[in-house]
Amino acid sequence: MGKVEVRTPGFSRVLEMGEGERVCPKCLGAVVAAGTKGDTFTGPDVDGLYITVCRECDGGRQRQCPFCGEWSAHPALCRCPGRHDAGKARRLAAEIAKFDTAQHLTVEQARAAGIAYVYFPGEDGDRLVEIGDIEWQADERRGDWKDSRPLFAWATIKEVLTLDADSIIENACEPLHEDARDNIGAEAEGELQVLLNAWCEKHGKYCDTYYPDHRRAVIVPASEEDADAS
């Protein structure tokens, strides 16, 4: 649109307007109000006008949401159904793009590879499920895939609790004399590592964490409903 001059009593400014922007109808580009001496806005020795911030615009400009047509300071934050659906479609497209370049596994192949859990991407965040539940979980998540059944779930990478003897010894020796770490040899470090490994195996089983592995996708078996439809 170019430059637009906006005026209010005792104040004027020029706004550079872009496509799909307008001057805020609430503040007309700037909210201007009378200030008094000692006012919080103007300071102790100032009389006259001060500019406050308008909550309905961004520097005097409003932009229009391309989905619902509402004007606001930041239409990217609009919560209208159209923007929600568009964002959902973009996220789904990104997941499918990653799927196209991933290795595809059947459920049997995934089990043989030691994959015990899979991740279904969705609106409420990735959902971790046991691989044995992959079929009925796919039915539960139809709404995340435009009311169709998900075609795949991501394989997972398992992270377990580990404690490193070298790091523990290094940290423990830090406040000691400068040769303290050198006085603990490889054999002693290995002895501690054996103890740490046994401790982690005994107490760390509930710390296991699974992350989506976007290099491998597990294909969801076709349901009877899908087979009948085809």
Side-chain angles (χ1 to χ4, degrees), residues 36-39 41-48:
T36 58
K37 191 172 291 187
D39 192 292
F41 292 94
T42 58
D45 301 317
V46 180
D47 276 324

Side-chain angles (χ1 to χ4, degrees), residues 134-213:
I134 190 171
E135 294 185 61
W136 73 266
Q137 284 286 347
D139 288 326
E140 290 290 313
R141 301 186 73 76
R142 286 181 179 272
D144 292 335
W145 288 71
K146 299 180 180 179
D147 296 325
S148 63
R149 198 164 179 261
L151 302 176
F152 69 92
W154 295 117
T156 53
I157 300 171
K158 179 181 177 182
E159 292 286 346
V160 300
L161 176 66
T162 59
L163 295 172
D164 180 62
D166 178 52
S167 298
I168 291 173
I169 295 171
E170 187 74 32
N171 290 334
C173 291
E174 187 173 350
L176 306 180
H177 66 80
E178 60 183 15
D179 296 326
R181 178 65 182 92
D182 295 336
N183 291 331
I184 300 176
E187 184 177 348
E189 181 181 321
E191 181 182 342
L192 175 59
Q193 189 63 61
V194 170
L195 295 174
L196 292 172
N197 292 345
W199 188 92
C200 289
E201 184 175 353
K202 181 178 180 180
H203 300 289
K205 58 184 177 180
Y206 297 114
C207 297
D208 293 350
T209 303
Y210 296 85
Y211 295 98
D213 182 1

Side-chain angles (χ1 to χ4, degrees), residues 29-99:
V31 176
V32 181
T36 58
K37 191 172 291 187
D39 192 292
T40 302
F41 292 94
T42 58
D45 301 317
V46 180
D47 276 324
L49 300 176
Y50 63 82
I51 304 173
T52 63
V53 177
C54 175
R55 298 181 183 274
E56 303 296 324
C57 67
D58 177 20
R61 304 174 187 81
Q62 284 189 335
R63 300 175 181 87
Q64 190 172 30
C65 174
F67 300 98
C68 68
E70 289 293 323
W71 292 88
S72 65
H74 303 289
L77 302 180
C78 183
R79 297 186 177 183
C80 67
R83 183 170 290 279
H84 176 271
D85 291 343
K88 183 175 177 180
R90 284 195 304 271
R91 290 187 290 272
L92 178 57
E95 293 293 328
I96 293 175
K98 288 184 284 189
F99 169 75

Side-chain angles (χ1 to χ4, degrees), residues 110 115-120 127-131 134 153-156 218:
I115 299 170
Y117 292 89
V118 295
Y119 262 112
F120 277 105
R127 179 178 296 180
L128 181 70
V129 302
E130 292 186 22
I131 195 166
I134 190 171
W154 295 117
T156 53
V218 182

